[in-house]
Amino acid sequence: MVFVTGIGIISAIGKNVSETLSSLLESRTGIGKIHHLQTIHANNFVAGEVKYSLQELENLAGLKNSNYNRTTLLSLLATQEALLSAGIEDITTHRTGFISASSVGGMCHTELLYEDFLEDKSPENFIDSHYTGAHATDVAKHFGISDYVTTISTACSSAANAIMLGARLINNNILDRVVVGGTDALCKFTFNGFNTLMILDKEWCKPFDNNRKGLNLGEGAAYLVLESERVVKAENKKVLATLSGYGNANDAYHQTASSPDGQGAYAAIQKALQVANLSTDKINYVNAHGTGTANNDLSEATAMQNIFKQNIPPFSSTKSFTGHTLAAAAGIEAVISILSIQNKTIFPNLNCKTQMEDAVLFPVTNLQKNVEINHVLSNSFGFGGNCSSLIFSKN
Amino acid sequence: MAIYINGTGCISHQNTIDVADFFENAQVACQQRLVAQEPDYKNYVPANMFRRMSHVIKMGVAAAKISLQQAEIENVDAIITGTGLGCFEDTDKFLRAIIENDEQLLTPTSFIQSTHNTVAGQIALLIKCHNYNFTYTQQGLSFESALIDAKMFLNENKNSNILVGGLDEAIQPYFDLLLQAGEIKKQEDIIVEIENNKTKGFCLGEGASFFVLSNEKHKNTKAEIKGIKTFTSLKDGGDLQNKLSLFLQELNLSVNDISLVLSGNSGDVEDDKILNETNRNIFSQTNIAYFKNLCGEYFTASAFALWLASAIIEKQEIPTALVNKPTQGLLIKNILILNQYRNSEYSFMCISSC
Amino acid sequence: MENLIQNLKVQIIEQLNLAETKPEDIDASAPLFGEGLGLDSIDALELIVLLEKNYGLKIADPKDAKNIFQSVKTLAEYISSQKK
């Protein structure tokens, strides 16, 4: 059994857990006009930007001239809050690890200097901070975490896999305590990438709506502190939730598209239920991947119908608040899932009005309070057919 | 619990596809950039998938296929890869297109192939593997991260076969970036004996090395992975030596049980200090060989070293390019890989005969 | 029309990196997707950009591309109909 004892988050809907909760309770999306990302498309699209400049993020972290890029600063801020919330003062008292996730790492900085490099203008060295794992090295060092540090990069399921790995490292008695999650900053590279796939909605995304047009990109970071039963007992720690199940499977259908029957998603959910030793009727809420693309939402809906049959639990995609934060998404949605358990609340799926023609399910579109939530399933799927599901449970 | 290497596939600067040829003809390389000797990929990759694949994807998929063929299996219970750089050729291509076309008229192919898990995903597609699929990226410990996961996976899932690989590409723009950052050794400074360097910098290499691992022995089993350990914050050489003693103790081995050390000197006089000190202090009586003058320095060069160690144990022979004293009759029982990347990431791997 | 079809074949081969295919191997009436050349959704996106780049024709919704991209012939017909 693995316990969540700390959470930290920064995204378009707030720079910490309490701001995030307020936005969710007030159904206030963070998706809007693009201010910070330098792109010629800024006026034609909306995005879920973190509302701070690089300099402001550095100030928030209490740093000066750190030379950290946006990805690293987002990671550092969310990690700081997670450690604080877990009440960890001395990082060296237990075997502690840092497992992060990112899709493009330092690309937000690289892309600003690449033209100079191509034109042989020898810009400052950016290659050391470009590597996707570089932020993890810096953040772990900043907090003195050294027993195990690594980064997972499996596109949009990355943070789910980081969380899963952390749990396994504890269950295999390799670590006692591990900070797990992910980070991704918006950058021109991913923005243009998703634009070439023609799956960006120019307006607010409408996950699971019949007239959905695509996703909104977002950015952010979120981390959980996972601790072993031994540590939790010895230190009499306050437990926010348990991580009771996890599963990863591959769709093996197409490099980017999900299979119409959601085979990979189905297998990931089933594995997570097996690990948690739960039957499908025990799941009280599903925080869906729900990107808002035609392909994902239908494939995920089909997988849910196949798993849950007639009894599909209440579900929503909170990407309608944060945008799709790629490798950070599963971290952000893990924090939201835990807030859901703690506050006995199901947060709504914004902007969904019309039921999908080719599926029988419909998400929760209004805030639901006083719901007894014992088990939450959180889904995350990525390019390369990578499908992951996590189950968080009330302690 | 034992971890057996039941199949290997390696593409590198040397002719590692033909093992017999490698043992006879491998040569120390003295270039700044050591590109891979590539096989005819059509033997491993179907044409309709081949057309989109970048250099590192081709290397990775082919090395994976070779290792599966050797292990005589068609599918696996997990695919785990490590890459420090990821798919840089496609990343560079898409970045250039963004800059050259001012964010307009871009096409998706290079973008979708630029994610770090492209190779693991393509292997899954190719062999229709719906199982566990992870990709790690942690600079010089990317492959080690994959191997540590593999070890846990085998512990959690008895009787499974898993595919683990390390891969990185040394394409021109990346080489140019490192050159500009001052990391590449000057051509005139390159010497054959990599351990005796007096200058800064390394020669960039590339490759893909894949392994089929299992708890179960197989008629083609080559070697056993006894242990793996990684470190990121070393105080000094003494610290590494203490950690090494502990590592050997945990494996119930003494220094005398080590038949051969494969030392990950990169050729950079500063970065290699701690390894040289450790080799002098602990392994003065042990055979030491260096491998990065065969494959070049890259984030996942340790995967090449694992391939090399496994081949040496299977053949009970050390390629002449590696040692300058005769080793006939030497019983090669345990090989220790000591690796470092930029003097900031260190790893130990112990590979044994079985 | 014949010229346009010939040009399209060459452009498609280049854009989609069909190194093994020669223009004469492509049957102008054969389906581009699924069977025939065996192209997929990513190729469709590549072809949408090809149309815009080489012929100034913009397709806003990939769903509209389905009919246009049935074969090289339908593609050529679409281009010439838009030019009038």
Side-chain angles (χ1 to χ4, degrees):
Chain A
M1 185 78 107
V2 173
F3 298 88
V4 182
T5 59
I7 49 177
I9 185 168
I10 180 165
S11 76
I13 57 170
K15 64 177 180 303
N16 52 37
V17 172
S18 74
E19 287 184 14
T20 303
L21 181 60
S22 304
S23 298
L24 289 166
L25 289 172
E26 291 160 23
S27 295
R28 195 169 57 229
T29 184
I31 300 166
K33 204 170 154 19
I34 297 173
H35 291 288
H36 298 291
L37 180 67
Q38 297 298 309
T39 165
I40 64 158
H41 305 298
N43 292 325
N44 303 326
F45 289 89
V46 291
E49 283 188 314
V50 169
K51 312 292 183 245
Y52 300 95
S53 68
L54 188 69
Q55 186 57 56
E56 288 164 339
L57 288 173
E58 193 173 49
N59 295 344
L60 278 177
L63 297 171
K64 264 188 191 148
N65 307 321
S66 66
N67 278 325
Y68 290 154
N69 57 44
R70 200 169 172 85
T71 305
T72 306
L73 285 171
L74 292 172
S75 169
L76 195 144
L77 282 162
T79 303
Q80 195 162 45
E81 189 187 20
L83 289 170
L84 200 70
S85 114
I88 294 169
E89 280 156 16
D90 184 357
I91 207 88
T92 59
T93 48
H94 300 284
R95 291 173 300 173
T96 304
F98 185 69
I99 313 296
S100 194
S102 184
S103 66
V104 286
M107 180 58 82
C108 52
H109 186 58
T110 299
E111 67 187 17
L112 301 178
L113 297 170
Y114 213 71
E115 188 169 4
D116 282 353
F117 159 70
L118 293 178
E119 288 172 1
D120 222 5
K121 286 186 192 151
S122 303
E124 53 162 298
N125 175 9
F126 57 86
I127 191 66
D128 286 340
S129 68
H130 171 79
Y131 306 124
T132 297
H135 77 280
T137 308
D138 288 338
V139 173
K141 204 176 269 176
H142 183 85
F143 294 105
I145 302 174
S146 62
D147 290 312
Y148 190 53
V149 179
T150 195
T151 303
I152 292 173
S153 196
T154 53
C156 303
S157 59
S158 301
N161 292 336
I163 294 169
M164 176 171 171
L165 178 74
R168 291 169 60 224
L169 285 162
I170 289 178
N171 288 335
N172 280 273
N173 194 24
I174 295 170
L175 294 175
D176 308 305
R177 181 161 74 186
V178 55
V179 182
V180 292
T183 180
D184 253 330
L186 266 173
C187 58
K188 269 200 291 199
F189 186 88
T190 23
F191 194 90
N192 281 287
F194 280 92
N195 196 23
T196 64
L197 290 167
M198 298 178 91
I199 52 172
L200 291 179
D201 192 335
K202 296 189 173 181
E203 290 157 13
W204 282 343
C205 66
K206 301 180 271 292
F208 298 107
D209 188 295
N210 197 50
N211 304 314
R212 64 195 182 283
K213 293 217 164 59
L215 58 86
N216 301 142
L217 284 171
E219 63 180 348
Y223 291 86
L224 316 177
V225 177
L226 303 180
E227 296 191 277
S228 70
E229 192 164 1
R230 196 178 57 76
V231 173
V232 166
K233 278 193 178 149
E235 300 192 353
N236 195 20
K237 295 207 73 156
K238 187 178 170 220
V239 173
L240 308 179
T242 61
L243 172 56
S244 53
Y246 42 77
N248 171 272
N250 200 280
D251 208 27
Y253 171 75
H254 184 266
Q255 173 62 21
T256 54
S258 301
S259 60
D261 60 351
Q263 189 181 356
Y266 180 92
I269 298 171
Q270 203 169 43
K271 282 187 194 182
L273 286 165
Q274 258 167 27
V275 170
N277 197 18
L278 289 172
S279 54
T280 52
D281 59 316
K282 294 287 187 291
I283 300 294
N284 307 108
Y285 165 56
V286 181
N287 187 298
H289 185 54
T291 57
T293 65
N295 175 246
N296 174 80
D297 294 3
L298 181 58
S299 173
E300 186 173 11
T302 308
M304 282 202 279
Q305 285 169 183
N306 289 341
I307 284 270
F308 294 107
K309 307 282 189 289
Q310 309 303 317
N311 303 306
I312 294 167
F315 71 96
S316 64
S317 165
T318 48
K319 286 188 176 75
S320 53
F321 285 86
T322 59
H324 188 0
T325 56
L326 309 175
I332 284 171
E333 286 152 30
V335 170
I336 294 175
S337 298
I338 292 163
L339 288 176
S340 197
I341 295 173
Q342 286 185 311
N343 296 279
K344 300 187 173 184
T345 302
I346 296 177
F347 306 113
N349 187 119
L350 306 176
N351 315 323
C352 181
K353 299 209 164 55
T354 319
Q355 184 173 327
M356 292 158 67
E357 269 168 18
D358 26 22
V360 297
L361 39 69
F362 193 71
V364 172
T365 51
N366 289 306
L367 191 77
Q368 292 191 4
K369 284 188 159 178
N370 298 316
V371 191
E372 191 59 33
I373 301 173
N374 293 313
H375 304 284
V376 179
L377 171 74
S378 174
N379 291 335
S380 297
F381 314 129
F383 283 3
N386 209 285
C387 301
S388 297
S389 292
L390 302 172
I391 298 174
F392 294 96
S393 301
K394 195 169 153 181
N395 188 34
Chain B
M1 192 181 31
I3 301 170
Y4 298 109
I5 302 176
N6 290 346
T8 63
C10 180
I11 291 173
S12 72
H13 181 67
Q14 306 292 334
N15 180 15
T16 37
I17 303 245
D18 182 343
V19 183
D21 181 72
F22 170 80
F23 270 74
E24 227 166 275
N25 299 318
Q27 292 250 326
V28 167
C30 292
Q31 299 109 273
Q32 290 179 299
R33 177 170 163 238
L34 280 57
V35 296
Q37 291 191 37
E38 299 182 272
D40 184 355
Y41 288 118
K42 306 241 161 52
N43 296 332
Y44 309 101
V45 186
N48 64 335
M49 286 176 81
F50 183 80
R51 68 189 169 99
R52 283 186 190 146
M53 287 182 176
S54 70
H55 181 53
V56 71
I57 303 174
K58 285 182 213 156
M59 288 197 296
V61 171
K65 282 284 262 194
I66 295 167
S67 67
L68 290 170
Q69 282 166 6
Q70 270 193 13
E72 297 176 354
I73 55 172
E74 279 171 9
N75 218 315
V76 287
D77 301 291
I79 298 170
I80 311 174
T81 63
T83 172
L85 185 63
C87 298
F88 200 80
E89 182 180 339
D90 281 316
T91 303
D92 169 75
K93 220 190 253 179
F94 196 63
L95 259 179
R96 267 172 215 262
I98 289 174
I99 292 165
E100 283 162 13
N101 301 319
D102 196 21
E103 301 186 65
Q104 290 163 84
L105 294 171
L106 304 172
T107 60
T109 301
S110 54
F111 171 68
I112 62 170
Q113 309 261 88
S114 71
T115 56
H116 283 61
N117 64 327
T118 303
V119 177
Q122 291 280 316
I123 296 168
L125 258 181
L126 193 63
I127 63 173
K128 287 276 158 248
C129 177
H130 291 282
N131 301 322
Y132 184 89
N133 194 298
F134 263 39
T135 295
Y136 291 88
T137 183
Q138 195 57 41
Q139 291 90 273
L141 298 177
S142 302
F143 175 66
E144 285 82 346
S145 294
L147 204 55
I148 286 169
D149 185 353
K151 199 176 146 187
M152 273 200 300
F153 191 94
L154 289 174
N155 189 33
E156 293 159 342
N157 304 274
K158 309 279 184 276
N159 306 326
S160 50
N161 285 302
I162 62 178
L163 183 63
V164 183
L167 53 148
D168 274 301
E169 60 185 350
I171 52 152
Q172 189 71 44
Y174 179 54
F175 174 79
D176 292 342
L177 271 166
L178 292 184
L179 198 64
Q180 192 210 287
E183 293 190 32
I184 304 292
K185 195 178 272 302
K186 287 192 189 123
Q187 182 62 48
E188 61 266 31
D189 289 343
I190 299 173
I191 59 171
V192 173
E193 290 174 333
I194 198 166
E195 68 277 21
N196 293 333
N197 264 288
K198 303 276 181 287
T199 57
K200 293 278 299 162
F202 58 79
C203 300
L204 181 69
E206 65 175 3
S209 309
F210 273 79
F211 307 87
V212 175
L213 305 180
S214 173
N215 300 137
E216 303 269 310
K217 255 192 181 173
H218 178 267
K219 66 180 184 350
N220 296 344
T221 296
K222 295 163 187 296
E224 177 188 348
I225 300 176
K226 271 258 170 74
I228 169 162
K229 203 109 203 174
T230 63
F231 307 95
T232 45
S233 47
L234 278 187
K235 287 185 208 78
D236 50 28
D239 193 15
L240 186 76
Q241 286 158 42
N242 289 337
K243 289 184 155 100
L244 185 57
S245 305
L246 271 173
F247 178 71
L248 292 177
Q249 240 172 52
E250 276 169 28
L251 301 178
N252 283 323
L253 293 173
S254 74
V255 169
N256 295 331
D257 295 322
I258 304 297
S259 327
L260 174 70
V261 172
L262 289 177
S263 184
N265 293 50
S266 69
D268 183 296
V269 62
E270 295 297 327
D271 291 347
D272 289 345
K273 263 188 185 154
I274 287 183
L275 280 192
N276 282 337
E277 186 191 317
T278 304
N279 289 336
R280 257 197 323 271
N281 290 348
I282 299 193
F283 298 111
S284 56
Q285 305 302 314
T286 313
N287 291 299
I288 301 176
Y290 304 89
F291 59 91
K292 286 181 182 168
N293 48 12
L294 297 181
C295 69
E297 173 67 313
Y298 55 102
F299 287 127
T300 48
S302 55
F304 172 86
L306 181 61
W307 175 84
L308 181 59
S310 140
I312 290 172
I313 284 180
E314 188 188 21
K315 284 189 78 110
Q316 286 293 310
E317 183 188 326
I318 303 176
T320 46
L322 278 179
V323 280
N324 44 22
K325 55 181 170 182
T327 53
Q328 281 102 344
L330 173 74
L331 179 71
I332 306 166
K333 180 84 184 97
N334 301 299
I335 297 181
L336 181 71
I337 300 170
L338 289 183
N339 193 40
Q340 65 87 21
Y341 192 85
R342 303 295 336 253
N343 186 29
S344 60
E345 285 142 349
Y346 284 82
S347 67
F348 305 149
M349 285 190 258
C350 182
I351 297 89
S352 306
S353 60
C354 55
Chain C
M1 194 60 131
E2 274 312 306
N3 264 345
L4 180 56
I5 286 178
Q6 187 59 26
N7 289 343
L8 274 171
K9 286 180 180 175
V10 173
Q11 289 161 2
I12 289 171
I13 287 169
E14 198 202 328
Q15 182 89 12
L16 305 183
N17 207 5
L18 300 164
E20 304 280 285
T21 312
K22 292 186 190 72
E24 55 268 32
D25 299 338
I26 303 178
D27 175 354
S29 318
L32 284 169
F33 292 83
E35 290 158 56
L37 270 188
L39 306 184
D40 69 6
S41 57
I42 300 301
D43 297 310
L45 295 167
E46 293 276 342
L47 292 181
I48 287 175
V49 178
L50 184 152
L51 269 186
E52 191 176 349
K53 224 193 293 196
N54 297 357
Y55 301 95
L57 298 173
K58 229 173 173 146
I59 296 176
D61 190 340
K63 275 187 223 142
D64 301 339
K66 225 175 176 182
N67 293 328
I68 303 167
F69 292 164
Q70 276 178 23
S71 65
V72 177
K73 197 159 160 257
T74 58
L75 188 53
E77 282 163 2
Y78 172 75
I79 293 169
S80 41
S81 75
Q82 296 294 307
K83 285 210 162 149
K84 276 168 198 161

